[in-house]
Amino acid sequence: MKKLLIIGYVWPEPNSSAAGSRMMQLINSFQLQHYQITFASPAQQTEHMADLNALNIAVENINLNCTSFNDFIVKLAPDAVMFDRFMMEEQFGWRVSEHCPQALRILDTEDLFCLRHARHQAYKEKRSITDENLLTSDLAKREVAAIFRSDISLMISNVEIELLQRLFKVDAKLLHYCPFMLNEAQLTQVNPHYQQRQDFMVIGNFRHAPNWDAVLWLKQQIWPLIRKQLPNVVLNIYGAYPPPKATDLHDEKSGFLVKGWVDDAVLAMQSAKVCLAPLRFGAGMKGKLAEAMYCATPSVTTDIGAESMQTERPWAGAIANDPQAIADAAVKLYQEESIWKTVSDLGPKNAKFMYQQESINSALSQCISQLTDTLTSHRQANFIGSMLNHHHHKSTQYMSQWIDVKTQLKVIVEGADEQ
């Protein structure tokens, strides 16, 4: 059986974030391709992490800047290694290249971190984002370099693929479009009708800056406009890891209810009449909006929120970018049953059109199989990647080895002091 090593930036929490759900979808995809999977991470394990052992996935704790990883990967001898975000490729890529050179190196970007960060900075500085912002960004240089060094990068957004090709001249052969994957049970589930639902909802991990900003925007500007027209409705706000500054916003009188963690996000989505996602910055696909689609819950979001999730088909809800327009669209969907039903019916149809697991799995399997068969020629054609591997990984290697030796010396000195 083929072996896949996944090096996780964090342990996957599918009920906490879209990134966690995405990782579990990829794990399932590679299991369908008959890979035996080991998931390793230097992060601390959490109470909300998926039970990987129950899914027949080996779990390993690994350390940064430690030679123990070399012995670990030599013994494991994986056929493929997937880095969860570019930071893990930076940390462990050179060790994989040196000690397991024939392993296919896959980068799962989740979304383009540099694009999300640049948009956040532009928003805070009240300006538009430009190509120059990205071309001069140290984060972009690091992230794009990791993409070049990898054999293939899994991209969740066609918009980001176009950006990488246009602005950073990344060869299309280094990028594979792999959006969210929804299984048959999700796409065919029976959802409650209009009369069985009530209230608005918003959901998102509070540690994710775009989600926190959306909650603030709702509290300060959007929700008062909705509440003025619908004085008896409430907004249920769900999300993992709410900080005190978020729970302090809870206000029964105004119907602004910060509920935090929810055990069943799908049930919460199905119970709401309308999902609000007023995102002012961010990148990639939005898990909450994909979930709203297959739950037949109309969503009101922004251009940023809908980015990469729009096709020629109508949006299953409304897209607006200023508080009054968002509020008016939300109220209209909430009040008018005929409009709500039309839009609600669109959701599962759009989800099946864009995110059907079977077709996305098939395309990914074909991509991985072809790369495995042509890996030598594929790498030879990627001269920039080879060059970056040579220079960057050498410098990273020496720095990592220096840190490793320093750590070992510290242990020796502390041991001598104790004696």
Side-chain angles (χ1 to χ4, degrees):
M1 180 177 283
K2 297 173 291 185
K3 297 179 183 178
L4 169 68
L5 169 64
I6 301 176
I7 303 179
Y9 178 65
V10 294
W11 297 96
E13 297 185 11
N15 294 325
S16 298
S17 68
S21 296
R22 155 78 163 179
M23 177 54 69
M24 297 309 296
Q25 291 167 5
L26 290 174
I27 285 172
N28 177 254
S29 179
F30 278 94
Q31 285 183 322
L32 291 174
Q33 296 176 52
H34 306 294
Y35 276 88
Q36 179 181 331
I37 299 175
T38 298
F39 194 103
S41 177
Q44 289 187 336
Q45 296 190 16
T46 66
E47 61 175 322
H48 297 312
M49 65 179 283
D51 187 354
L52 298 176
N53 288 321
L55 299 173
N56 198 31
I57 297 166
V59 172
E60 293 286 342
N61 293 294
I62 54 177
N63 297 315
L64 300 173
N65 304 306
C66 184
T67 55
S68 60
F69 180 84
N70 303 347
D71 299 330
F72 162 67
I73 197 168
V74 168
K75 183 178 180 180
L76 183 64
D79 299 279
V81 176
M82 183 164 68
F83 304 101
D84 173 26
R85 286 164 264 202
F86 78 93
M87 296 81 85
M88 292 298 94
E89 191 279 338
E90 285 184 327
Q91 287 285 346
F92 295 99
W94 69 269
R95 294 185 186 274
V96 173
S97 297
E98 182 173 310
H99 298 284
C100 200
Q102 293 309 308
L104 180 68
R105 298 191 296 271
I106 306 165
L107 175 60
D108 176 34
T109 60
E110 293 294 343
D111 60 25
L112 275 183
F113 188 87
C114 64
L115 178 61
R116 173 157 45 92
H117 181 267
R119 283 175 170 169
H120 192 182
Q121 289 300 115
Y123 165 71
K124 289 192 291 186
E125 296 169 11
K126 298 181 180 179
R127 58 171 173 80
S128 299
I129 185 175
T130 65
D131 285 353
E132 184 180 359
N133 297 145
L134 288 167
L135 289 170
T136 57
S137 163
D138 287 344
L139 276 174
K141 292 169 186 174
R142 290 171 56 194
E143 189 167 24
V144 175
I147 289 171
F148 271 110
R149 288 192 297 264
S150 302
D151 296 314
I152 195 71
S153 290
L154 306 183
M155 306 300 302
I156 208 163
S157 164
N158 272 323
V159 172
E160 294 174 3
I161 290 177
E162 188 278 330
L163 176 69
L164 288 169
Q165 291 179 292
R166 177 185 63 81
L167 190 59
F168 299 110
K169 313 305 178 188
V170 178
D171 193 314
K173 293 179 181 178
L174 298 178
L175 307 171
H176 178 76
Y177 177 56
C178 185
F180 288 138
M181 295 174 260
L182 303 178
N183 60 42
E184 192 66 19
Q186 291 169 313
L187 294 173
T188 58
Q189 68 183 14
V190 178
N191 292 299
H193 300 300
Y194 177 85
Q195 298 293 345
Q196 299 170 296
R197 300 172 181 242
Q198 63 180 0
D199 299 323
F200 292 88
M201 67 95 74
V202 61
I203 189 167
N205 192 314
F206 281 92
R207 290 178 176 174
H208 191 53
N211 292 335
W212 168 236
D213 176 75
V215 170
L216 279 178
W217 198 22
L218 280 162
K219 175 69 173 181
Q220 295 166 356
Q221 298 186 49
I222 300 169
W223 183 244
L225 296 172
I226 295 175
R227 183 76 169 188
K228 185 177 180 180
Q229 300 181 64
L230 300 171
N232 296 317
V233 301
V234 302
L235 173 61
N236 295 303
I237 301 162
Y238 304 105
Y241 305 108
K245 64 181 180 181
T247 53
D248 287 346
L249 299 179
H250 183 90
D251 181 15
E252 297 276 352
K253 186 177 179 180
S254 67
F256 197 85
L257 310 182
V258 181
K259 296 190 172 181
W261 174 265
V262 60
D263 290 327
D264 192 333
V266 171
L267 179 60
M269 183 68 76
Q270 289 178 314
S271 301
K273 271 187 181 169
V274 178
C275 170
L276 302 177
L279 300 166
R280 292 190 279 193
F281 56 90
M285 282 181 62
K286 314 306 182 293
K288 59 181 72 65
L289 295 176
E291 195 170 74
M293 286 182 189
Y294 73 77
C295 288
T297 305
S299 60
V300 181
T301 189
T302 59
D303 285 329
I304 286 289
E307 181 181 84
S308 84
M309 302 183 73
Q310 287 180 277
T311 64
E312 66 276 7
R313 305 167 73 92
W315 183 258
I319 299 172
N321 296 292
D322 68 81
Q324 190 64 62
I326 293 170
D328 290 344
V331 169
K332 187 174 183 179
L333 281 169
Y334 195 93
Q335 285 186 315
E336 300 188 28
E337 182 175 355
S338 60
I339 295 176
W340 185 95
K341 186 178 187 309
T342 298
V343 172
S344 172
D345 290 344
L346 277 174
K349 294 176 182 177
N350 287 356
K352 187 173 184 179
F353 178 73
M354 293 186 286
Y355 309 129
Q356 190 173 44
Q357 182 186 52
E358 185 177 354
S359 59
I360 297 170
N361 271 341
S362 177
L364 178 58
S365 176
Q366 185 177 350
C367 172
I368 297 301
S369 178
Q370 183 176 350
L371 277 174
T372 301
D373 292 341
T374 62
L375 190 56
T376 300
S377 60
H378 178 78
R379 288 178 175 173
Q380 288 174 347
N382 180 21
F383 179 78
I384 293 177
S386 297
M387 179 176 62
L388 289 170
N389 265 307
H390 176 78
H391 290 288
H392 177 80
H393 283 175
K394 286 296 181 184
S395 61
T396 304
Q397 172 184 350
Y398 296 138
M399 175 60 75
S400 181
Q401 289 174 340
W402 178 79
I403 294 173
D404 187 27
V405 171
K406 184 179 178 182
T407 302
Q408 293 178 29
L409 288 174
K410 182 180 178 182
V411 171
I412 293 172
V413 170
E414 290 176 348
D417 289 343
E418 290 176 359
Q419 295 177 357

